[in-house]
Amino acid sequence: MKFTLKDYQRDAVRDSLNNLGKARRLWHSESDRTAFSLTAVTGAGKTVMAAATFEALFHGDDEFSFDADPGAVVIWFSDDPSLNEQTRFRFIEASDRINYTDLVVIENTFNRPKFQAGKIYFLNTQKLSKNSLLVRGHDPEEMAAKVDGTFPDMRPDLRAYTIWDTIKNTIEDPDLTLYLVLDEAHRGMGKQTAASQNDRNTIVQRLINGVGSVPGIPAVWGISATVERFNKAIESAGKHIKLPNVEVDASKVQESGLIKDTILLDIPDNVGDFDTVLVRRATDKLKESTAAWAAYSKQQQEAHIVVPLMVLQVPNTPDPDEIGRALDTVFERYPELPSASVAHVFGDHTTQRFGNRDVPYIEPQRVEESTWVRVLIAKDAISTGWDCPRAEVMVSFRAAKEKEHITQLLGRLVRSPLARRIPGNDRLNAVDCLLPKFNRKAVEQVVDELTTGSEAATPGRVLIDYIEVVPNPAVSPAVWEAFEALPSQTRPQRGAKPAVRLTALAHELASDDILPGAGRLAHAEMHASLDKFQADNAAKIKDKRQSVLVVDGKTVKADMLGQGRSLEQFWEDADVAVIDDAYRRAARIFSPAIAHSYVDHLASQEADRDDDPEAFLEAIVEARVTVAGLGLVMEAQAYFDAEADKLAKAWLSKYREQIKALSDDRRESYRQIIEMSTEPQDAGLLKPEARYEATKANENGKVRVFPVWDSHLLCDQAGKYPADMNDWERTVVETESARPGFTSWYRNPQQPGQSSLGIAYQEAGQYKILRPDFIFFAEQDGQVVADIVDPHGLHLADALPKLQGLAMYAERHAGAYRRVESVAEVKDKLRVLDLTKSEVRQAITDATETAGLFSSILADDY
């Protein structure tokens, strides 16, 4: 892959490959058909995950311990040709092992008896409709009825094979495995009710389940943000064994920074026609966004400059003059925009006349790269799968009753332009949506859909009434230094490999000239470690080497006359294929790169490649056997992983200041490397530059304005910070603010980011992130000290795991805080546990529930 997968993407690829491997085995051994789904919020990178999966499917992958399927054939199916084209382009962009020629768009001229192994075929609904040349003369249902054969096929253009013939022949070939991938799998999967069971199946359902003489697809993989309909349709049809669905945790996607943190919604206070007002406001936001991205690119010396885009979403039957008036408003407000900076993505693909302007058509998948487009006019087609990361502002002229279109489109607007979070800058981590045709009640329904996990929901904050807050000028630099020194923890990654982490770190250190030749140094260190392991375990390794070189087994001898049987053992020298297989398994432990260089290291000790090439080749074979034997020693992996982890940690610590001085983009690379660990890792906080906060809430038709507070690290122009708090939280802030030495406080954001303090904890074997509510700062003996005070709800199911995680954090970072306290209400009283005390931490570790802890003598009244 050309892209480095995020941890949740690697997990999804691993689980998807497990399913595809099982699907292949079940099909070829039992003729069982299988199906499963991958569900992930919009922006999670489903196409990138699919590309990585196909690389492993076609070519094998050591990281995922997956062997290639030499007969694999993939059909990528959607209901939109332009969406298929966008996907094909992304595969080329993301993969370095899938060639351009491996991606075949099925056109009307396609005419083959079978699909070819190792290729991905792009097919869409229209190509399977009755009017398509690909299927004309072959209706599988009609053909099944014509058993007497008196009605020959009427195939156009002397076509030898329809697409249904090709599918049928491919499925029936024992050397091939046909995998069907349904992009946007919720589309085309109608509800299956008792009354509709006898209705004619949809094209998608005929493809999945088979029809007439054409059998169903052996392995079906549905991909979508909302796969409920797909799952139900598969289950109700009952023709496929359901494999475990792959579900991507939305919180992990948000943590990754691939999608925006905040959606800002602007709506009129009263129902009415506010088009011109909000279009002017949207244009101002486009100007502001353009200036902000230009300033950021200049500051960071970014090679890729983000050119923001505004989307005007119009009804399916728009008024051209109304669109023309909106465009006039845009150019009046933003005269610097070139006149030829508008395009549309309407379905008829022709130049459109809006007012006095001729606006050309552009293919949706070309918008992102076509930076001349600054204003894009669209209907609802793009909500089915198109996206454009540089779309920073959206104005919708749709009515309130069509809120589902807005919900879907918002999901297409939340991708981060640089595929990463901009540290501390909420302005560049937000997208603006202006809804002139919506009344407040309708918008609140959209917000509810976006934030409660319902269909088409997206993670992150959605704000309606908001202000921007920036660093408080009254806060001293010493407080900010103390803030940035606080250790925030990362979420561990399943299946992380220390050797991969080390080599990735070495690559980055060398690229930034922090440690020239870091890759060579890393390999040399790991070679020395393996040499030491060999010396300490010589006898074990000798036995394991022998087991690689000799294959033993048993032969069954049957006495046909006496009807008896006996076993005779045999030994055979291993051939090259057996040795290679053993070496490949060992390389997965040490990483293929280090295993390869270690083979060279061992061979160079035995022979000189220049003086005696043949002897060196023999030494290479011997070295591969040694590495294979090393991999069979039970203790080898733990030892090797520990050594690789130790070196990576040492380098991260030694070069911390040089890394900190790099640009945001380069620091992000190291942040991802830090996170490549099976244990929580520490990372410093970053001073926030700007953040949006809500100022009011609408509850049952009544507007409630949030109170404002002093001394917060972030504030508005008046020095105030708006915050909605419950009684506990209000008491905590008031109590802490009154303590001697108090200087300032910080309400820790509950969303991920480098300005949010995170603490890892385990629940049901899975790591999650706790974000304590408050950090308070005070002066004590001339130094700035920090306190964590976290109001803790005892009624929540995860109350104890969170408390245990906080206790472990307090022990690990005892020197970073003056106080680490958890506050809870017990019998109408606030009680507090001081987690800096060892006896309190031990009680929390041993506890089976939380309420008793706060009621015990270990707790005090707050």
Side-chain angles (χ1 to χ4, degrees):
M1 289 291 289
K2 298 174 185 175
F3 300 152
T4 300
L5 297 179
K6 305 292 185 182
D7 66 318
Y8 70 84
Q9 292 175 332
R10 280 198 300 274
D11 289 346
V13 171
R14 183 182 294 106
D15 293 341
S16 297
L17 286 171
N18 287 340
N19 279 347
L20 293 178
K22 187 179 294 183
R24 178 193 175 197
R25 291 192 297 273
L26 287 172
W27 172 246
H28 289 290
S29 63
E30 305 292 338
S31 297
D32 287 331
R33 295 179 174 85
T34 52
F36 71 99
S37 63
L38 166 65
T39 177
V41 295
T42 301
K46 292 186 284 290
T47 309
V48 171
M49 290 183 260
T53 303
F54 295 147
E55 276 195 353
L57 184 67
F58 293 147
H59 304 286
D61 193 285
D62 289 327
E63 179 183 353
F64 299 114
S65 299
F66 187 86
D67 295 323
D69 178 358
V73 176
V74 173
I75 295 177
W76 185 278
F77 188 90
S78 82
D79 62 354
D80 186 349
S82 64
L83 180 56
N84 272 354
E85 183 60 24
Q86 176 175 271
T87 301
R88 191 177 70 90
F89 175 79
R90 282 208 176 149
F91 283 167
I92 295 170
E93 185 181 39
S95 174
D96 53 9
R97 291 199 288 173
I98 299 175
N99 298 321
Y100 177 83
T101 54
D102 296 331
L103 305 171
V104 181
V105 178
I106 296 180
E107 303 290 359
N108 285 329
T109 54
F110 186 84
N111 185 16
R112 292 186 62 91
K114 299 174 189 175
F115 293 124
Q116 287 181 274
K119 295 188 181 296
I120 301 171
Y121 292 89
F122 291 89
L123 186 61
N124 60 70
T125 310
Q126 295 86 339
K127 293 293 192 299
L128 291 181
S129 66
K130 282 192 172 183
N131 294 326
S132 169
L133 290 175
L134 286 173
V135 304
R136 195 177 300 169
H138 185 135
D139 185 312
E141 287 179 328
E142 292 178 6
M143 291 302 296
K146 298 171 184 176
V147 293
D148 59 0
T150 57
F151 299 95
D153 292 353
M154 299 299 292
R155 305 183 181 191
D157 304 324
L158 301 177
R159 181 182 299 277
Y161 304 97
T162 69
I163 191 67
W164 289 110
D165 291 325
T166 307
I167 292 171
K168 179 176 183 290
N169 294 338
T170 304
I171 294 171
E172 292 176 348
D173 188 327
D175 295 326
L176 299 176
T177 314
L178 183 59
Y179 303 88
L180 170 68
V181 183
L182 294 177
D183 190 14
E184 301 295 331
H186 61 287
R187 301 177 66 83
M189 306 300 295
K191 295 182 180 179
Q192 296 294 309
T193 63
S196 66
Q197 287 295 329
N198 293 325
D199 292 349
R200 187 177 183 85
N201 288 336
T202 65
I203 289 174
V204 176
Q205 291 163 338
R206 293 166 74 186
L207 187 61
I208 294 172
N209 299 321
V211 59
S213 61
V214 180
I217 301 289
V220 180
W221 183 14
I223 301 179
S224 176
T226 52
V227 293
E228 289 82 3
R229 264 189 213 168
F230 168 81
N231 290 333
K232 288 178 181 177
I234 291 292
E235 290 168 5
S236 64
K239 294 190 176 184
H240 290 73
I241 295 173
K242 199 72 169 60
L243 299 178
N245 292 330
V246 180
E247 298 181 8
V248 173
D249 185 342
S251 66
K252 291 184 178 181
V253 181
Q254 192 71 52
E255 286 175 16
S256 73
L258 286 180
I259 60 177
K260 295 288 187 81
D261 291 330
T262 307
I263 298 174
L264 303 175
L265 298 185
D266 279 41
I267 55 172
D269 290 329
N270 302 299
V271 179
D273 192 353
F274 295 90
D275 296 6
T276 303
V277 173
L278 288 193
V279 169
R280 281 204 301 268
R281 182 171 171 81
T283 306
D284 289 344
K285 288 180 177 290
L286 180 63
K287 290 175 66 175
E288 292 168 7
S289 178
T290 302
W293 276 112
Y296 180 78
S297 297
K298 183 177 180 180
Q299 174 203 355
Q300 296 292 317
Q301 298 181 333
E302 282 278 354
H304 174 67
I305 298 176
V306 176
V307 182
L309 169 80
M310 178 166 69
V311 176
L312 294 179
Q313 190 191 29
V314 300
N316 287 339
T317 54
D319 179 349
D321 291 332
E322 185 178 356
I323 298 175
R325 286 192 295 273
L327 292 175
D328 290 342
T329 301
V330 170
F331 284 100
E332 287 169 7
R333 198 73 173 182
Y334 197 172
E336 296 86 356
L337 275 183
S339 57
S341 60
V342 186
H344 75 84
V345 287
F346 289 2
D348 51 14
H349 300 188
T350 59
T351 297
Q352 301 284 309
R353 182 80 174 174
F354 300 126
N356 62 351
R357 301 175 189 275
D358 290 324
V359 176
Y361 166 79
I362 186 171
E363 294 176 314
Q365 66 271 15
R366 301 297 177 191
V367 175
E368 170 65 11
E369 65 189 40
S370 304
T371 54
W372 62 268
V373 180
R374 302 298 308 283
V375 180
L376 183 70
I377 304 168
K379 297 180 183 178
D380 64 343
I382 58 176
S383 67
T384 64
W386 171 86
D387 60 83
C388 180
R390 64 185 184 90
E392 295 276 292
V393 183
M394 189 268 283
V395 183
S396 175
F397 295 113
R398 288 187 175 275
K401 66 181 180 180
E402 298 182 61
K403 64 180 183 298
E404 66 276 5
H405 294 285
I406 303 298
T407 305
Q408 292 169 359
L409 185 57
L410 291 180
R412 305 299 167 191
L413 300 176
V414 295
R415 280 179 167 82
S416 299
L418 298 179
R420 60 177 172 85
R421 179 177 287 105
I422 306 304
N425 193 329
D426 218 17
R427 166 67 269 173
L428 300 182
N429 294 322
V431 61
D432 288 285
C433 301
L434 298 94
L435 312 172
K437 298 291 187 180
F438 269 50
N439 60 31
R440 182 169 291 273
K441 184 177 181 180
V443 172
E444 287 168 356
Q445 289 177 322
V446 173
V447 173
D448 185 60
E449 289 186 11
L450 287 170
T451 56
T452 58
S454 58
E455 189 166 303
T458 185
R461 298 188 303 161
V462 183
L463 303 179
I464 301 177
D465 299 294
Y466 57 89
I467 61 168
E468 186 179 42
V469 291
V470 296
N472 191 334
V475 173
S476 70
V479 169
W480 283 116
E481 287 177 15
F483 174 86
E484 291 189 291
L486 297 178
S488 182
Q489 292 185 324
T490 64
R491 187 204 303 256
Q493 297 182 3
R494 167 190 166 199
K497 295 184 176 180
V500 174
R501 183 187 189 213
L502 174 62
T503 51
L505 175 60
H507 174 77
E508 302 300 342
L509 290 171
S511 297
D512 292 318
D513 289 328
I514 293 175
L515 180 60
R520 175 178 48 78
L521 293 172
H523 280 236
E525 290 281 352
M526 300 317 297
H527 296 167
S529 297
L530 288 174
D531 285 345
K532 183 177 184 302
F533 184 81
Q534 279 205 74
D536 294 342
N537 298 270
K540 288 182 181 178
I541 295 169
K542 182 179 179 181
D543 291 341
K544 297 300 182 183
R545 279 186 97 260
Q546 190 63 22
S547 71
V548 173
L549 290 169
V550 178
V551 178
D552 63 340
K554 290 182 172 64
T555 301
V556 179
K557 292 188 68 176
D559 182 351
M560 302 301 292
L561 194 60
Q563 297 185 348
R565 288 187 299 176
S566 63
L567 296 177
E568 286 190 2
Q569 195 154 8
F570 67 84
W571 293 267
E572 294 286 348
D573 290 342
D575 58 18
V576 174
V578 172
I579 294 173
D580 284 348
D581 186 59
Y583 168 77
R584 190 169 62 251
R585 287 197 300 270
R588 289 171 176 171
I589 294 174
F590 307 123
S591 88
I594 291 178
H596 179 77
S597 65
Y598 190 55
V599 165
D600 274 354
H601 166 74
L602 293 175
S604 297
Q605 295 176 338
E606 298 297 326
D608 190 306
R609 73 178 70 200
D610 295 324
D611 291 345
D612 192 346
E614 288 189 12
F616 183 76
L617 289 175
E618 290 179 7
I620 286 284
V621 174
E622 286 297 309
R624 287 168 69 89
V625 174
T626 298
V627 171
L630 268 171
L632 295 174
V633 177
M634 188 178 299
E635 300 87 354
Q637 181 159 7
Y639 168 84
F640 182 80
D641 287 350
E643 292 296 309
D645 189 53
K646 184 167 65 176
L647 181 57
K649 286 179 178 177
W651 281 358
L652 285 168
S653 176
K654 182 176 181 179
Y655 302 112
R656 179 181 292 114
E657 292 305 315
Q658 290 101 311
I659 293 170
K660 192 175 180 180
L662 296 172
S663 67
D664 288 351
D665 180 50
R666 298 303 306 134
R667 285 205 310 269
E668 174 66 14
S669 298
Y670 290 95
R671 187 188 67 80
Q672 292 183 25
I673 289 169
I674 289 171
E675 292 180 348
M676 292 168 62
S677 173
T678 54
E679 295 181 350
Q681 301 293 303
D682 294 333
L685 288 175
L686 198 68
K687 179 182 178 180
E689 298 297 330
R691 182 170 171 82
Y692 292 104
E693 294 291 0
T695 61
K696 59 183 73 170
N698 194 315
E699 297 174 352
N700 300 320
K702 293 183 179 180
V703 176
R704 180 170 59 83
V705 178
F706 297 162
V708 294
W709 304 79
D710 293 319
S711 304
H712 192 271
L713 294 190
L714 301 173
C715 67
D716 61 12
Q717 293 180 344
K720 305 292 184 180
Y721 177 78
D724 185 26
M725 299 189 194
N726 59 31
D727 292 342
W728 298 9
E729 294 166 335
R730 190 177 300 110
T731 299
V732 166
V733 172
E734 291 171 349
T735 301
E736 297 299 325
S737 300
R739 293 188 188 276
F742 166 82
T743 63
S744 48
W745 65 288
Y746 185 65
R747 186 166 199 183
N748 193 41
Q750 296 305 296
Q751 296 76 35
Q754 285 102 306
S755 301
S756 175
L757 178 66
I759 296 173
Y761 72 97
Q762 274 190 298
E763 183 184 13
Q766 297 290 321
Y767 272 103
K768 299 181 180 181
I769 296 294
L770 157 70
R771 301 188 186 277
D773 282 342
F774 300 114
I775 306 171
F776 295 92
F777 296 90
E779 287 188 3
Q780 180 175 294
D781 300 329
Q783 299 290 324
V784 174
V785 293
D787 302 324
I788 288 178
V789 183
D790 186 34
H792 200 78
L794 302 182
H795 62 287
L796 300 174
D798 59 359
L800 182 58
K802 283 183 175 178
L803 187 59
Q804 290 170 334
L806 187 59
M808 291 179 64
Y809 176 84
E811 181 176 12
R812 180 172 176 175
H813 299 291
Y817 298 93
R818 178 180 63 173
R819 295 157 50 222
V820 178
E821 296 183 344
S822 181
V823 178
E825 186 178 51
V826 179
K827 297 180 180 178
D828 299 326
K829 266 191 175 183
L830 286 183
R831 301 273 289 171
V832 60
L833 288 169
D834 183 356
L835 276 61
T836 61
K837 296 179 178 178
S838 59
E839 64 271 22
V840 173
R841 294 196 301 269
Q842 187 60 52
I844 291 172
T845 301
D846 297 338
T848 57
E849 53 87 31
T850 51
L853 292 167
F854 287 92
S855 301
S856 71
I857 59 172
L858 294 170
D860 297 312
D861 289 337
Y862 183 72

